[in-house]
């Protein structure tokens, strides 16, 4: 073993791997060998027949190789590019109103309760556990305006080993709930405290994200300050855009000097290549061009768009404009915290558009698989670390057994990997997800520390 590379191999897996690449929406590697080093990075990907050669080069013994079963495969962990952690507390309810009424009636009263750290701890633990075991290895979270509870969310994602962007929400106007609002000064100071304290913890997989709730909740002055904070510290930014027609109309009234909703954020330096904006159902082609030019991305949240009757995002048109795109659950506007649901609702949305206009091009499931994995990592500018199986990236992966006993899928015979993936995406659930890995570490099933 004298020519062993500098990093030691910790795990070797053999079997079918499916993932998306820049070139192909679905690449299938049958009887592949993948090695993960002690830092959780993918050290090599080879073919089964190269086993002897690889074991010599990388210095592992054949007994260390984990062999997948017949109906199993590894796929990259899924990336939820937009989820509200506090709203998990009422997920699956309260879907009977359009967006702005829904926010005032349900959302703000519930979010105001997260001043209570005990309540926050309970809900945030539940949402991180639920998303992880449904295969979300990376999540981009909105918390609430409360700095300490937002820091707690960062701690919980770190404890469970989920990769996360966490945002303390900023809002200084238009709110139905008296105490659920900040002054501009509080919002600015608390954002800085949140960022400094989160970075100070040095959690390896958790990053802060500057989070103006949306243009209707923030004065221009606050948007400008948040744009400056993000720029000076080279931080991620997240918000909402063009979700519902009434919202778009009110933004035009509140910001008459701006040419469009997109232009409002652009003016305040909030559209960067580290920005992700949720929804974008009603953006014009010019606005999509501005997204492409600035490198900002969109998060498609189809369950929420349907549940709140907000609109139908034309994904083909977004991709035609070469705007980076990921998928989001948008809990609790979206009632499901599972990215498998986001995949299905994305396909449904395409089909609704095709029903309305037979010329509309429906996406193949492979393309939606790409959006849920590599697309999401690109939308969050994390694609140098995660999103697919490339040497040097972190091993963020799901071990899927399509024929898991007691699971939702019946298989009569062995089927080809592409069919197994399609069945899992359409019919599968957490019973099919045998193991979840983030940065090489197995985080599901939960360990003693993370079990209830
Ligand atoms: N726009 C502003 N806040 C929210 C929110 O919490 N959920 C959704 N879906 N849209 C928003
Ligand atoms: Fe949202």
């Amino acid at each position: 073993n004298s020519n062993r590379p500098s990093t030691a191999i910790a795990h070797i897996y053999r079997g079918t791997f499916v993932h998306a690449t820049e070139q192909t929406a679905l690449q299938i590697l049958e009887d592949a060998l993948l090695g993960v080093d002690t830092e959780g990075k993918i050290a090599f990907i080879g073919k089964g027949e190269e086993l002897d050669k690889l074991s010599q080069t990388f210095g592992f013994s054949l007994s260390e190789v984990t062999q997948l079963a017949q109906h199993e495969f590894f796929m990259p962990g899924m990336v939820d590019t937009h989820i509200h952690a506090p709203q998990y507390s009422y997920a699956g309810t309260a879907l009977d109103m359009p967006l702005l009424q829904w926010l005032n009636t349900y959302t703000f009263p519930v979010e105001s309760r997260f001043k209570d750290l005990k309540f926050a701890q309970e809900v945030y633990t539940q949402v991180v556990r639920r998303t992880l075991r449904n295969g979300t290895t990376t999540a981009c979270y909105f918390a609430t305006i409360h700095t300490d509870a937002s820091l707690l969310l960062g701690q919980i994602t770190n404890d469970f080993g989920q990769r996360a962007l966490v945002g303390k929400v900023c809002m200084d106007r238009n709110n139905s709930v008296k105490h659920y609002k900040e002054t501009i000064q509080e919002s600015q100071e608390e954002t800085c405290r949140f960022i400094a304290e989160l970075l100070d913890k040095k959690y390896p997989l958790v990053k802060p994200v500057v989070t103006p709730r949306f243009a209707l909740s923030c004065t221009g002055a606050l948007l400008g300050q948040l744009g400056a904070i993000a720029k000076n510290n080279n931080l991620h930014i997240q918000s909402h855009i063009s979700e519902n027609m009434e919202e778009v109309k009110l933004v035009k009234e509140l910001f008459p000097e701006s040419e469009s909703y997109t232009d409002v954020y652009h003016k305040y330096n909030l559209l960067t290549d580290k920005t992700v904006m949720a929804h974008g159902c009603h953006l014009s082609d010019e606005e999509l061009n501005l997204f492409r030019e600035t490198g900002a991305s969109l998060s498609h949240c189809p369950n929420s768009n349907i549940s709140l009757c907000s609109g139908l995002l034309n994904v083909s048109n977004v991709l035609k404009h070469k705007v980076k795109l990921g998928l989001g659950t948008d809990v609790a506007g979206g009632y499901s915290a599972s990215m498998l649901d986001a995949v299905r609702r994305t396909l449904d949305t395409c089909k609704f558009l095709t029903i309305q206009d037979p010329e509309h091009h429906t996406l193949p499931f492979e393309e939606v698989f790409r959006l849920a994995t590599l697309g999401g990592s690109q939308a969050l500018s994390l694609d140098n670390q995660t999103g697919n199986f490339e040497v040097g990236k972190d091993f963020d992966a799901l071990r899927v057994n399509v024929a898991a006993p007691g699971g939702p899928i019946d298989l009569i015979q062995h089927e080809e990997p592409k069919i197994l993936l399609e069945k899992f995406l359409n019919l599968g659930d957490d019973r099919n997800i045998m193991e979840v890995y983030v940065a090489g570490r197995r985080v599901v099933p939960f360990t003693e520390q993370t079990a209830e």
Side-chain angles (χ1 to χ4, degrees), residues 84 87 99 102-103 107 213-214 240 243 279 304 308 330:
H84 297 262
Q87 296 176 21
L99 175 68
W102 176 84
L103 286 171
T107 309
R213 178 164 214 123
F214 68 153
H240 297 88
E243 177 174 359
H279 305 285
S304 172
L308 300 182
D330 195 27

Side-chain angles (χ1 to χ4, degrees), residues 151-196:
L151 289 165
L152 182 59
L153 176 58
Q155 186 197 316
I156 291 168
T157 57
N158 177 69
D159 289 349
F160 277 90
Q162 189 175 48
R163 190 185 300 279
L165 297 176
V166 178
K168 176 214 122 31
V169 172
C170 296
M171 42 202 287
D172 71 338
R173 70 165 157 186
N174 287 335
N175 195 324
S176 59
V177 176
K178 203 161 155 214
H179 297 290
Y180 195 53
K181 187 165 70 174
E182 312 161 290
T183 65
I184 179 168
Q185 195 189 348
E186 279 166 352
S187 195
Q188 191 255 348
E189 286 174 6
E190 287 297 295
T191 294
C192 290
R193 179 165 84 86
F194 171 71
I195 293 161

Side-chain angles (χ1 to χ4, degrees), residues 190-421:
E190 287 297 295
T191 294
C192 290
R193 179 165 84 86
F194 171 71
I195 293 161
E197 293 194 19
L198 190 65
L199 291 176
D200 201 45
K201 302 283 187 191
K202 300 199 171 16
Y203 300 138
L205 303 174
V206 184
K207 291 178 165 53
V209 43
V210 173
T211 307
R213 178 164 214 123
F214 68 153
L216 293 185
S217 294
C218 302
T219 56
L222 177 57
L223 292 176
Q225 292 194 357
L226 296 175
I229 291 170
K231 191 169 180 176
N232 295 337
N233 300 283
N234 186 27
L235 294 173
H236 283 82
I237 298 168
Q238 64 179 346
S239 191
H240 297 88
I241 195 165
S242 215
E243 177 174 359
N244 142 312
M245 294 297 270
E246 193 189 355
E247 170 207 7
V248 175
K249 182 170 151 274
L250 286 173
V251 169
K252 285 214 175 90
E253 286 170 23
L254 280 179
F255 297 90
E257 71 289 354
S258 289
E259 275 160 38
S260 65
Y261 198 159
T262 305
D263 187 46
V264 172
Y265 291 136
H266 188 47
K267 267 211 172 72
Y268 294 114
N269 293 316
L270 289 165
L271 280 195
T272 74
D273 61 2
K274 292 175 85 172
T275 296
V276 58
M277 289 284 168
H279 305 285
C281 304
H282 306 288
L283 295 173
S284 67
D285 287 353
E286 291 78 53
E287 290 179 281
L288 289 174
N289 287 335
L290 192 48
F291 268 79
R292 187 189 54 249
E293 285 158 23
T294 55
S297 62
L298 281 173
S299 170
H300 177 34
C301 303
N303 189 318
S304 172
N305 291 342
I306 297 165
S307 293
L308 300 182
C309 297
S310 299
L312 299 173
L313 179 69
N314 187 332
V315 168
S316 302
N317 193 44
V318 172
L319 296 178
K320 198 174 93 190
H321 283 79
K322 305 231 176 308
V323 174
K324 291 187 286 179
L325 182 67
L327 305 184
T329 59
D330 195 27
V331 163
Y335 57 76
S336 171
S338 169
M339 282 295 293
L340 288 170
D341 173 87
V343 165
R344 294 166 198 166
R345 299 289 92 81
T346 296
L347 286 161
D348 289 351
T349 298
C350 287
K351 287 172 183 171
F352 299 158
L353 292 170
T354 303
I355 291 167
Q356 288 176 353
D357 171 12
E359 302 281 290
H360 180 266
H361 157 80
T362 294
L363 291 178
F365 85 86
E366 293 93 329
E367 195 58 54
V368 181
F369 168 72
R370 173 169 22 205
L371 294 176
T373 55
L374 184 62
S377 72
Q378 292 168 333
L380 301 181
S381 296
L382 295 173
D383 49 312
N384 56 347
Q385 285 164 62
T386 187
N388 63 1
F389 300 127
E390 276 175 19
V391 171
K393 286 195 184 184
D394 287 1
F395 185 62
D396 287 7
L398 314 181
R399 180 174 178 168
V400 175
N401 181 357
V402 181
I409 303 174
D410 294 310
L411 281 184
I412 295 158
Q413 58 197 35
H414 186 68
E415 306 205 53
E416 56 178 301
K418 183 176 147 171
I419 301 289
L420 294 182
L421 175 65

